[in-house]
Structures are given as structure tokens and as C-alpha cells.
Amino acid sequence: MNDLVRQHTALSDTDLEWLHLLVSEWQLLSDLSFADLVLWVPTRDGTRYVSVAQMRPNTGPTSYQDDMVGHLVPRGRRPLLDAALDEGRIVREGDPEWREEVPVRVESIPVRREGRVLGVIARNTNLLTVRTPSRLELTYLQSASDLAQMIAAGSFPFPGQQVDMDASPRVGDGLVRLDADGVVQYASPNGLSAYHRLGLASDLVGQHLGGITAELAPSRGPVDEALVKLASGYAPREFEVECTGGVIQLRAIPLKPKGVRIGSLVLLRDVTELRRRERELITKDATIREIHHRVKNNLQTVAALLRLQARRMDSEQGREALNEAVRRVGSIAIVHETLSQNLDERVEFDEIADRVLAMVAEISPGKVTCRRTGRFGILDAEVATPLAMVLTEVLQNALEHAFGVAESGTVEVSAVRGGSPTAARLLITVQDDGCGLPEGFDPQRTGNLGLQIVRTLVEGELSGTFGMVPAPERGTRVILDIPVRADK
């Protein structure tokens, strides 16, 4: 809609925002009218109309099989659009149109903002299935008529009331029509069922909705006056009422077709099961985070015990082996600590990589600088845990074997994400400027325990590839290429 309005019309950004606000609300008008809606806006030169948005009803058959957005129509071809735009009134005159052997009643509703008509809504009703309307359908149509008059007068949609239609109650979820005093004139079967879920034992018609809602809602003191006002539909609001029997979500829409409030529409939906599942997910998330936290604590305890054991050993080789085990356990603990702070099983691995770099740098025999370039991004837990161990082993190997006791140097870790959204990959390079590989060294067949761990984790658990080659100028380059989920 932004592109079409800016390309073809002279509307300002504030006018465009008003149209966006209207489009966020007009599913309500479409469902109440049992009709398709198409928003037409006059072009910059005033000779044509461009359709910038379209909505089909959830409550009835569509009148348009094709997408109308982007169509241009010369002025004069559709007289109802011209009359609504020029006269600023709702136009219903004329006989039904026939489209593919389907009779369609066409009406035009001017869209007004601050006294100016910005465009016209064409309301197209499929008459093929017309029959004697029920009380529910009559209530829908009357409410649609009131909303159409409010749109033509510029009093609907309500400024500052942007609505998320995916989360808000819809017409089919449940509808209650109130008079100016907040007394129920009509309640749809779904709306009545929702109130029965809250504990209402009688009918809603004739009851004061605000008073009934306040009585059903749990209260520790006097009647909640704010809840009475909200449920009575005096202001456009969305809220929830929770009782022991369930939870319903309500949205109040005051009806002021001629500038004076004549009543309200209250849309409502039973969200009891939805809220129950949300609580279960929150509980499960909290449980998973607590498990990760306890695993991290247990791993830190294991690392502390290994450290104590290393201090008591006389063998330098045994002491060093235990210290390596401490670092391996520590790298896993870092991942679990990060997971314990997240709401899902995905982690920002850059933070983990930096902590692994700092941990391994403590064993540097000389003045070796460790740094990271590029971005690992967000990784799944099943990738992050083995990758943290792999990074620890590769860095530890570089610091131990590439530099002498008093030598200085640099170890750089770079990460690049690439590939397609369906086949994303992470390319990791660890390069040092140390002494390089020994003559005849084959990383796939020889190597210490650390390299064996790297090969097993990269090729087995991560389904990636591992390579170890001389750096272009000096030192050694380790290349890891692993598949990952696309980073959004």
C-alpha cells in the first residue's frame, strides 16, 4: 500500500498512516457486512482511481475471485465512486452488478479524515446466497451500517488504537451488541457460550454487561468500577477477564454513527485454553533454564574437583592432563550458563566464543594476543555445545604448540556465515603466526587427543569438515565448515 499510495497519489504521510489504521480495522467491517472491501484512492491528477488494499469476508462468499490491489480505473467508469468522493456520503443507489453470473450489490463509503475525503471503500456483497436474514445477521448488518457511517464521518478508526487483528477477537469469535446504557440487546451464540464459561447461568440479553462482568470476575473488595466501564463499551479498549472457570478476551467498540454514542459492540473470545498453554510453556521454559543452570553448577563443581586433584599430583604430565580436562569442562559450562539465561534453546555464540578465548588465553606461555573477527550469530544448543569444545581444543592446541615460552604472537578466530536460507553454513578459521606444522604432519591421521576430539565432534556431531594447513605467510590455519540453521 505504501508504494501504491506514494507512486500514484498526492496523499501525505499522515494521510497514509490513517489508511493503515483503517486497513488494520476493516476486517471487522467486512465480516459484519458479509462483503468484500476494496479501498480506492484518487490519483495525483484526479483522472483515475487506484486500488491500494482489499479485504475478503470470513463470514460469507467473496465477490472477487481476483486480486484487485494495484488496479487503475478511469474516473467516470464507476459512478458510485465518483458520487461518494465528490459528495462525501455513502452511496447505495443502483442495481446489482453481474460478475461471472453472480449478482453483486455495490456500495461506496467515503473515507474521511479531518474533513477531507481521502478515498472510497467499495463494499461488494455477493447476493447469490441471499435468504431471509436471522437475528444474528440483522445485528451484524446494523452494526456494519453504523461503522460505515463513522468511517464516512471520520470518527472511525479510533486514533491511537492500532489493533493487532491476529490477536484481537473477531466477529465470528463472539459478539455482543449493547445500547447506550450498556444493556445487552443481542448476544451471539459464541458470545453467550463464553460468558457461560465464566460462570453465568442465565441469558445475557437484558443484562447490564459491565455489571455482570464485574460480578463474575474475582474481586477482593468493592465492585471494580473500571471493569464496569470497560465492559459497558464507553471507550475503545481491549482487555481480559479471568475467573475460575476460564478467561475471555474482550474488545469494546463504541458506536457513534452521527456523533452521539448510541451503543457499543463488544467482540469477545474464549482464550482459556490458549492462556493455559501459554502458562505451560512458560513453566517448561523456566524448568529448562533451571536445568541448564544446575548442569552449569555441576560442571563447575567437577572442574573445581579436577583442579584440586591436579594440585595434589606430582607428575607434571598428569597435572597438565587434568588442567586440559578442566578447560574442556569449562567450555561446556559456558554454553549451559548462556542457555540458562535464554528463553529458547538457541544462543548468541559470539559471547561464548569471546569467553572461550579469554579462558584459553590464560594458558598462553608468552605474550600471545587472541582476537575474534566476524560473527558466529545465533546457534542451536546442539551445535553450540560441541562447537565450544572444538574451539577450545583448537585454540589450546595453537597456544601450546605454535609458540615458545617467551614468544609473542597472534591467534585470530574469524567466523563467516553464508549459503542459502535452506542450506546455511558457518565457516570458521583459526589462524596463528607461530612456528607452523611439523614436516610430514597429517591432521587426519596423527595428532594428540585434542585433535582427535576435534575430528570426532566436527565430522560426527556437527556433520562438517575439518582441515589444518600451513598459513599463507607463517603459522597454521585451521578451517572448520559446518552446516547451521539460517540466522534470522
Side-chain angles (χ1 to χ4, degrees):
M1 187 166 72
N2 287 346
D3 295 339
L4 289 171
V5 168
R6 287 168 179 156
Q7 180 182 353
H8 295 285
T9 77
L11 296 182
S12 65
D13 288 343
T14 52
D15 293 334
L16 180 56
E17 284 301 316
W18 183 260
L19 295 184
H20 274 293
L21 191 61
L22 172 66
V23 168
S24 73
E25 292 272 24
W26 71 342
Q27 179 73 65
L28 172 64
L29 177 62
S30 178
D31 290 345
L32 290 172
S33 305
F34 307 99
D36 291 73
L37 306 178
V38 180
L39 178 58
W40 297 92
V41 180
T43 56
R44 190 175 286 105
D45 57 8
T47 61
R48 296 180 295 176
Y49 297 96
V50 57
S51 58
V52 298
Q54 179 179 2
M55 178 58 66
R56 292 184 172 90
N58 294 319
T59 53
T62 183
S63 302
Y64 286 109
Q65 298 299 325
D66 299 327
D67 187 3
M68 295 297 297
V69 175
H71 283 217
L72 290 165
V73 174
R75 185 177 171 87
R77 179 175 296 181
R78 300 195 177 184
L80 296 185
L81 293 181
D82 298 339
L85 183 69
D86 297 338
E87 301 173 23
R89 64 180 180 88
I90 299 174
V91 183
R92 296 190 175 95
E93 298 88 356
D95 297 326
E97 297 180 2
W98 286 83
R99 300 175 188 162
E100 298 179 359
E101 300 183 356
V102 175
V104 177
R105 182 175 63 241
V106 181
E107 304 166 87
S108 295
I109 304 168
V111 178
R112 192 184 302 272
R113 174 181 176 269
E114 296 180 352
R116 294 167 44 243
V117 177
L118 307 182
V120 179
I121 294 176
R123 181 163 57 178
N124 303 270
T125 307
N126 187 326
L127 301 178
L128 195 61
T129 58
V130 169
R131 52 185 172 78
T132 303
S134 64
R135 177 73 188 280
L136 179 143
E137 291 167 333
L138 289 172
T139 303
Y140 278 19
L141 293 171
Q142 180 58 53
S143 302
S145 176
D146 294 335
L147 284 177
Q149 292 183 56
M150 291 170 66
I151 292 173
S155 58
F156 186 84
F158 303 109
Q161 292 288 323
Q162 187 81 26
V163 175
D164 182 2
M165 290 306 298
D166 291 332
S168 295
R170 298 198 178 196
V171 170
D173 296 327
L175 178 142
V176 176
R177 171 94 185 209
L178 309 179
D179 65 12
D181 297 322
V183 177
V184 177
Q185 294 179 312
Y186 175 79
S188 71
N190 285 345
L192 184 59
S193 296
Y195 265 84
H196 285 167
R197 184 74 178 264
L198 291 184
L200 179 69
S202 59
D203 194 3
L204 268 178
V205 176
Q207 305 265 22
H208 189 278
L209 189 66
I212 285 292
T213 305
E215 290 177 10
L216 294 173
S219 175
R220 297 186 180 89
V223 174
D224 189 341
E225 294 294 336
L227 182 58
V228 173
K229 286 282 187 183
L230 288 173
S232 299
Y234 287 99
R237 292 290 186 273
E238 191 170 313
F239 58 99
E240 286 188 4
V241 176
E242 182 172 359
C243 303
T244 54
V247 185
I248 60 172
Q249 183 183 17
L250 298 95
R251 183 189 173 202
I253 303 170
L255 297 175
K256 303 175 181 179
K258 296 181 179 179
V260 178
R261 182 175 169 276
I262 63 168
S264 304
L265 275 183
V266 178
L267 305 180
L268 55 139
R269 177 171 58 184
D270 185 350
V271 293
T272 305
E273 291 302 313
L274 179 62
R275 296 295 176 259
R276 181 184 63 80
R277 290 174 184 173
E278 286 177 353
R279 292 190 186 100
E280 287 180 354
L281 288 174
I282 291 172
T283 302
K284 288 179 180 177
D285 287 340
T287 302
I288 291 171
R289 291 201 301 273
E290 178 62 22
I291 289 172
H292 284 302
H293 182 70
R294 294 189 182 187
V295 169
K296 182 263 296 184
N297 289 344
N298 291 338
L299 289 173
Q300 288 180 338
T301 302
V302 171
L305 293 173
L306 290 173
R307 233 181 258 113
L308 288 173
Q309 187 65 43
R311 291 171 186 167
R312 292 175 176 270
M313 292 196 70
D314 297 328
S315 169
E316 182 65 28
Q317 187 177 3
R319 189 181 304 115
E320 184 56 35
L322 286 176
N323 286 332
E324 287 184 6
V326 167
R327 286 187 285 273
R328 288 166 184 150
V329 171
S331 66
I332 302 174
I334 290 172
V335 177
H336 283 283
E337 182 179 3
T338 306
L339 287 168
S340 69
Q341 300 168 0
N342 290 351
L343 293 177
D344 55 15
E345 289 291 287
R346 307 195 78 197
V347 295
E348 178 64 62
F349 197 81
D350 294 325
E351 178 186 350
I352 294 174
D354 292 339
R355 293 181 62 179
V356 168
L357 277 167
M359 179 182 69
V360 177
E362 295 176 359
I363 68 168
S364 172
K367 297 179 180 179
V368 179
T369 302
C370 297
R371 63 170 179 256
R372 174 180 63 85
T373 60
R375 181 174 176 272
F376 287 85
I378 298 174
L379 300 177
D380 294 328
E382 57 265 26
V383 174
T385 302
L387 184 57
M389 280 199 68
V390 167
L391 196 58
T392 301
E393 296 298 336
V394 172
L395 289 169
Q396 188 170 292
N397 187 72
L399 292 174
E400 286 184 355
H401 301 290
F403 305 100
V405 175
E407 288 183 343
S408 60
T410 302
V411 177
E412 181 174 327
V413 179
S414 67
V416 178
R417 296 187 79 130
S420 64
T422 57
R425 302 194 72 84
L426 175 62
L427 181 64
I428 304 166
T429 304
V430 181
Q431 183 169 319
D432 64 69
D433 55 3
C435 62
L437 295 173
E439 191 72 26
F441 182 81
D442 184 359
Q444 298 299 330
R445 296 185 179 180
T446 60
N448 54 22
L449 175 62
L451 290 181
Q452 293 177 19
I453 292 173
V454 169
R455 285 198 300 269
T456 301
L457 292 177
V458 171
E459 297 171 0
E461 290 199 29
L462 297 175
S463 301
T465 59
F466 161 68
M468 197 172 188
V469 297
E473 296 180 1
R474 184 182 179 217
T476 305
R477 175 180 289 175
V478 176
I479 303 171
L480 307 171
D481 185 1
I482 60 174
V484 293
R485 205 199 314 182
D487 185 1
K488 297 179 181 178

